[in-house]
Amino acid sequence: MARMKGEQTTTERKPQRVTMETVGKIAGVSQVTVSRALSDPSKVSAKTLARIQDAIEATGFVPNGVAGALASNKSKLITALVPSLTNIVYSSMIQSFGRRMRDAGYQLLLSETGLDPREEDATIAAHLSRRPDAILLTGVHHSAQARRMVLAAGIPVVEIWEYSDTPIDMCVGFRHADTGHAAAEFAHRKGYARAATISAGDERARRRKAAFVDRLQALRPGAVPQIDFDTHATLARGREGLSQLLDGHGFDGGVIFCSSDILANGVLVEAQARGLRVPQDIAVIGFGDQDGAAHLEPPLTTIRVDREAFGRAAADILLDRFKTGEAAVPKVDLGFELIARGSA
Amino acid sequence: MARMKGEQTTTERKPQRVTMETVGKIAGVSQVTVSRALSDPSKVSAKTLARIQDAIEATGFVPNGVAGALASNKSKLITALVPSLTNIVYSSMIQSFGRRMRDAGYQLLLSETGLDPREEDATIAAHLSRRPDAILLTGVHHSAQARRMVLAAGIPVVEIWEYSDTPIDMCVGFRHADTGHAAAEFAHRKGYARAATISAGDERARRRKAAFVDRLQALRPGAVPQIDFDTHATLARGREGLSQLLDGHGFDGGVIFCSSDILANGVLVEAQARGLRVPQDIAVIGFGDQDGAAHLEPPLTTIRVDREAFGRAAADILLDRFKTGEAAVPKVDLGFELIARGSA
DNA sequence: ATGAAAGCGCTAACAT
DNA sequence: ATGTTAGCGCTTTCAT
């Protein structure tokens, strides 16, 4: 279609942005009054308010939060960093955290940091440039630079999913090593002759596993074969782990502590495929009590952590900090629970 | 601790925000030069650049992206709405989308909309107030108001996870009804005498199921018992679904089309618990080819959609639009594939 | 109850 | 290669 220089077709023309100025002009008031009508309607007379609301409807005005954030130095934005978006452990925490924050008028800027801790620093910097009102970090191990940056930002920092006596600011979590200890004590009480571990490639999973091995060997000496993957946990890795244990490590039965339920699920499947009885031949302890763990055959013995509660607690201490200026309980240890079901 | 009026303790004092002005003063240049050094270093002399970089290091300066966004009318922010953060279907799409966008310098503002479509409008408005450079929506069914708002924003809109000939702007997805048709044809070819469905409470799941029933009944008349949950899919619901079918609907064997793999997994578990053979007594077709589907016993026959590819494609057409000003291929149907494994 | 003025920290012309 | 001048669209005083 031919068109003349400088002319613009309808589809190409950028819609003229509607500002408070525009709305005010239509309603016959100044821009400031529109601002007030939106932020505190009680400060504006009823009839003015009505006219402003009409003008907003008519124009389809959407306030420019960027300008507002710049002027007020409040963004109503919370920044969150998680290792993985697809890992149910993190996504369910973020889900409950996000819901509560959203109810309080905040939105979530979310990024994945992956398994490599060094990736985190750049992401933190990028996030801070958005001038969030707070930042949520996963775990309590961060680089010196990361700590410096978030501290310099002068905003509340919540570390989630791991407890520390010395968080950057606030934290909500549990002690990962303790879960390994608890699993080891359970296995020992149950009298399993042999034990092994299967672990995914994240640092906290490794710590849980190491704690299991340490405690078990303290209770009763004996080798504990360990399969360590350097990837995320998947069901296939669980199957593979059991196979390696059985075929390559001379493991001929006993209890297996897995760093996550999905790995444990894989062990169950592989055991079934090989005609091994659970828990008589192979016993399995998982971690996470994820969806379906209780409904597997046999039901999975696992360590339960209330991820939703972590998210809610994180939101609560944050909102409290916003309100009071200081958090009453900045360090929260929500603990865990070993759930004995049929698999061990 | 007593302290004088107006005095501030160290811990209370908000860190003085470092601006480009500050950095420039230290480096002996103007604020604009600092801006240039950051956005296009080639425009600044080597020695100036070095001094500026020193000043940035020394001060720990983090650019204020809010101010930048306001001034340039570019936020480098992409807004995304998904029904659920914990559903692997959506999180894996978002993951691959987010990774590619992040590599291109964009960040993701992410919100959950839930199962209720009406919740979406308010969230869209909130997101648009951040002045994102583009918006990603799940599915192609949105309210008239939602369409109006995103259109008025004058930014690219990508609808993902569902194909439409008439998207708001661009779309990447597949035709959900076609998957039901394909499953029905497969079931018919395989000669299953009886069929049933189990579906979760989302609108697209319902459409897949309805398409299955329609096509199957077109191929060969006969009732198709349907279990419809109005919640998200879980393994427990899958077990429950099979139980209801068996105990309450007089379903005594045949093929079951599930609206997701997690439901199918539950059916498998319940069948195993009841000592039913799969696929001889109960055959199962899932949807999604989720992690582990191939490793279940028996491996799950399912419909595979390449969710990561959706995310990547969405990022690609968006980045292309940013670059060229118009997308060459705004509507992408990535299709699906029925994978016949052992369960049906 | 409403308005005028200043300014948040940048980027985008336009100089030089 | 660097600086000057204007805004971007709001919120925040301070007036009236």
Side-chain angles (χ1 to χ4, degrees), chain B residues 134-329:
Chain B
I135 184 165
L136 185 80
L137 263 23
T138 305
V140 295
H141 293 130
H142 308 286
S143 75
Q145 202 203 337
R147 298 176 73 98
R148 224 180 295 124
M149 281 191 295
V150 298
L151 249 14
I155 53 175
V157 182
V158 185
E159 290 167 284
I160 199 170
W161 186 237
E162 196 170 357
Y163 179 84
S164 166
D165 286 317
T166 54
I168 298 178
D169 182 7
M170 306 182 270
C171 76
V172 177
F174 65 101
R175 299 172 195 266
H176 286 252
D178 285 3
T179 65
H181 295 154
E185 280 154 20
F186 174 82
H188 185 239
R189 270 203 312 281
K190 283 279 197 166
Y192 289 107
R194 308 215 39 190
T197 64
I198 302 175
S199 170
D202 93 85
E203 191 262 328
R204 284 170 289 265
R206 292 266 163 75
R207 253 183 300 127
R208 295 193 294 268
K209 177 213 64 172
F212 173 85
V213 174
D214 284 356
R215 178 61 52 94
L216 195 65
Q217 294 191 322
L219 291 168
R220 68 133 158 57
V224 178
Q226 302 171 33
I227 306 292
D228 291 331
F229 294 107
D230 54 6
T231 58
H232 288 291
T234 63
L235 193 140
R237 291 267 169 290
R239 291 191 73 157
E240 196 181 326
L242 178 56
S243 294
Q244 287 186 22
L245 244 15
L246 258 21
D247 304 336
H249 286 71
F251 184 75
D252 54 1
V255 64
I256 302 177
F257 178 55
C258 299
S259 72
S260 70
D261 280 2
I262 185 79
L263 291 173
N265 192 350
V267 169
L268 247 36
V269 169
E270 182 64 24
Q272 186 196 340
R274 288 174 178 245
L276 297 170
R277 294 164 308 161
V278 177
Q280 296 87 342
D281 301 327
I282 296 285
V284 187
I285 304 175
F287 172 86
D289 194 28
Q290 274 144 227
D291 173 46
H295 303 284
L296 296 173
E297 283 297 329
L300 193 62
T301 292
T302 190
I303 285 155
R304 168 188 240 296
V305 283
D306 191 341
R307 305 179 303 256
E308 271 98 43
F310 289 8
R312 284 192 304 268
D316 285 344
I317 61 177
L318 203 47
L319 291 170
D320 197 58
R321 166 74 65 91
F322 287 148
K323 205 162 40 188
T324 67
E326 56 181 299
V329 186

Side-chain angles (χ1 to χ4, degrees), chain B residues 20 31-32 35 61 71:
Chain B
M20 286 184 177
Q31 170 267 128
V32 216
S35 172
F61 169 70

